[in-house]
PDB file of all heavy atoms in Angstrom:
ATOM      1  N   LYS A1297       9.164 -20.575 -14.047  1.00 51.00           N
ATOM      2  CA  LYS A1297       8.019 -21.302 -13.388  1.00 51.00           C
ATOM      3  C   LYS A1297       6.806 -20.808 -13.996  1.00 51.00           C
ATOM      4  O   LYS A1297       6.577 -19.684 -14.294  1.00 51.00           O
ATOM      5  CB  LYS A1297       8.019 -21.000 -11.858  1.00 51.00           C
ATOM      6  CG  LYS A1297       9.354 -21.561 -11.141  1.00 51.00           C
ATOM      7  CD  LYS A1297       9.309 -21.327  -9.606  1.00 51.00           C
ATOM      8  CE  LYS A1297      10.513 -21.879  -9.022  1.00 51.00           C
ATOM      9  NZ  LYS A1297      10.611 -21.607  -7.605  1.00 51.00           N
ATOM     10  N   GLU A1298       5.701 -21.727 -13.948  1.00 56.00           N
ATOM     11  CA  GLU A1298       4.449 -21.231 -14.427  1.00 56.00           C
ATOM     12  C   GLU A1298       3.775 -20.416 -13.405  1.00 56.00           C
ATOM     13  O   GLU A1298       3.774 -20.714 -12.185  1.00 56.00           O
ATOM     14  CB  GLU A1298       3.604 -22.485 -14.731  1.00 56.00           C
ATOM     15  CG  GLU A1298       2.271 -22.156 -15.271  1.00 56.00           C
ATOM     16  CD  GLU A1298       1.472 -23.406 -15.610  1.00 56.00           C
ATOM     17  OE1 GLU A1298       1.989 -24.614 -15.598  1.00 56.00           O
ATOM     18  OE2 GLU A1298       0.266 -23.258 -15.975  1.00 56.00           O
ATOM     19  N   LEU A1299       3.291 -19.328 -13.731  1.00 58.00           N
ATOM     20  CA  LEU A1299       2.690 -18.331 -12.931  1.00 58.00           C
ATOM     21  C   LEU A1299       1.393 -18.898 -12.382  1.00 58.00           C
ATOM     22  O   LEU A1299       0.687 -19.571 -13.078  1.00 58.00           O
ATOM     23  CB  LEU A1299       2.470 -16.968 -13.602  1.00 58.00           C
ATOM     24  CG  LEU A1299       3.580 -16.110 -13.978  1.00 58.00           C
ATOM     25  CD1 LEU A1299       3.098 -14.924 -14.710  1.00 58.00           C
ATOM     26  CD2 LEU A1299       4.495 -15.806 -12.784  1.00 58.00           C
ATOM     27  N   SER A1300       1.056 -18.718 -11.072  1.00 70.00           N
ATOM     28  CA  SER A1300      -0.217 -19.034 -10.599  1.00 70.00           C
ATOM     29  C   SER A1300      -1.353 -17.999 -11.109  1.00 70.00           C
ATOM     30  O   SER A1300      -0.860 -16.816 -11.625  1.00 70.00           O
ATOM     31  CB  SER A1300      -0.133 -18.836  -9.023  1.00 70.00           C
ATOM     32  OG  SER A1300      -0.037 -17.652  -8.619  1.00 70.00           O
ATOM     33  N   MET A1301      -2.429 -18.187 -10.903  1.00 79.00           N
ATOM     34  CA  MET A1301      -3.544 -17.352 -11.426  1.00 79.00           C
ATOM     35  C   MET A1301      -3.348 -15.924 -10.650  1.00 79.00           C
ATOM     36  O   MET A1301      -3.546 -14.966 -11.230  1.00 79.00           O
ATOM     37  CB  MET A1301      -4.928 -17.909 -11.054  1.00 79.00           C
ATOM     38  CG  MET A1301      -5.297 -19.024 -11.950  1.00 79.00           C
ATOM     39  SD  MET A1301      -6.995 -19.732 -11.659  1.00 79.00           S
ATOM     40  CE  MET A1301      -8.064 -18.224 -12.058  1.00 79.00           C
ATOM     41  N   ASP A1302      -3.035 -15.919  -9.336  1.00 77.00           N
ATOM     42  CA  ASP A1302      -2.756 -14.842  -8.595  1.00 77.00           C
ATOM     43  C   ASP A1302      -1.728 -13.859  -9.173  1.00 77.00           C
ATOM     44  O   ASP A1302      -1.720 -12.759  -9.298  1.00 77.00           O
ATOM     45  CB  ASP A1302      -2.611 -14.999  -7.149  1.00 77.00           C
ATOM     46  CG  ASP A1302      -3.943 -15.548  -6.461  1.00 77.00           C
ATOM     47  OD1 ASP A1302      -5.019 -15.314  -6.969  1.00 77.00           O
ATOM     48  OD2 ASP A1302      -3.760 -16.077  -5.385  1.00 77.00           O
ATOM     49  N   ASP A1303      -0.606 -14.567  -9.312  1.00 79.00           N
ATOM     50  CA  ASP A1303       0.711 -13.910  -9.927  1.00 79.00           C
ATOM     51  C   ASP A1303       0.311 -13.329 -11.238  1.00 79.00           C
ATOM     52  O   ASP A1303       0.746 -12.183 -11.607  1.00 79.00           O
ATOM     53  CB  ASP A1303       1.726 -14.890 -10.059  1.00 79.00           C
ATOM     54  CG  ASP A1303       2.234 -15.431  -8.674  1.00 79.00           C
ATOM     55  OD1 ASP A1303       1.921 -14.811  -7.776  1.00 79.00           O
ATOM     56  OD2 ASP A1303       2.778 -16.558  -8.703  1.00 79.00           O
ATOM     57  N   ALA A1304      -0.315 -13.988 -12.160  1.00 83.00           N
ATOM     58  CA  ALA A1304      -0.779 -13.554 -13.530  1.00 83.00           C
ATOM     59  C   ALA A1304      -1.594 -12.384 -13.433  1.00 83.00           C
ATOM     60  O   ALA A1304      -1.357 -11.506 -14.189  1.00 83.00           O
ATOM     61  CB  ALA A1304      -1.393 -14.764 -14.274  1.00 83.00           C
ATOM     62  N   LEU A1305      -2.613 -12.434 -12.559  1.00 87.00           N
ATOM     63  CA  LEU A1305      -3.390 -11.309 -12.321  1.00 87.00           C
ATOM     64  C   LEU A1305      -2.629 -10.012 -11.935  1.00 87.00           C
ATOM     65  O   LEU A1305      -2.802  -8.939 -12.549  1.00 87.00           O
ATOM     66  CB  LEU A1305      -4.468 -11.567 -11.351  1.00 87.00           C
ATOM     67  CG  LEU A1305      -5.538 -10.380 -11.027  1.00 87.00           C
ATOM     68  CD1 LEU A1305      -6.160  -9.863 -12.157  1.00 87.00           C
ATOM     69  CD2 LEU A1305      -6.519 -10.763  -9.887  1.00 87.00           C
ATOM     70  N   ALA A1421       2.817 -11.434  -3.784  1.00 52.00           N
ATOM     71  CA  ALA A1421       1.711 -12.477  -3.955  1.00 52.00           C
ATOM     72  C   ALA A1421       2.205 -13.812  -3.823  1.00 52.00           C
ATOM     73  O   ALA A1421       1.652 -14.690  -3.325  1.00 52.00           O
ATOM     74  CB  ALA A1421       1.124 -12.213  -5.367  1.00 52.00           C
ATOM     75  N   GLN A1422       3.528 -14.134  -4.324  1.00 50.00           N
ATOM     76  CA  GLN A1422       4.192 -15.427  -4.157  1.00 50.00           C
ATOM     77  C   GLN A1422       4.458 -15.809  -2.782  1.00 50.00           C
ATOM     78  O   GLN A1422       4.091 -16.860  -2.311  1.00 50.00           O
ATOM     79  CB  GLN A1422       5.410 -15.456  -5.008  1.00 50.00           C
ATOM     80  CG  GLN A1422       5.229 -15.316  -6.602  1.00 50.00           C
ATOM     81  CD  GLN A1422       6.454 -15.288  -7.344  1.00 50.00           C
ATOM     82  OE1 GLN A1422       7.602 -15.209  -6.799  1.00 50.00           O
ATOM     83  NE2 GLN A1422       6.299 -15.028  -8.718  1.00 50.00           N
ATOM     84  N   ASN A1425       1.203 -16.591  -1.131  1.00 47.00           N
ATOM     85  CA  ASN A1425       0.621 -17.945  -1.509  1.00 47.00           C
ATOM     86  C   ASN A1425       1.380 -19.074  -0.908  1.00 47.00           C
ATOM     87  O   ASN A1425       0.902 -20.140  -0.369  1.00 47.00           O
ATOM     88  CB  ASN A1425       0.767 -18.069  -3.040  1.00 47.00           C
ATOM     89  CG  ASN A1425      -0.313 -17.167  -3.746  1.00 47.00           C
ATOM     90  OD1 ASN A1425      -1.193 -16.788  -3.170  1.00 47.00           O
ATOM     91  ND2 ASN A1425       0.039 -16.789  -4.997  1.00 47.00           N
TER      92      ASN A1425
END
Side-chain angles (χ1 to χ4, degrees):
K1297 296 181 180 179
E1298 184 177 350
L1299 292 177
S1300 68
M1301 291 182 63
D1302 288 345
D1303 297 337
L1305 174 62
Q1422 292 172 4
N1425 290 336

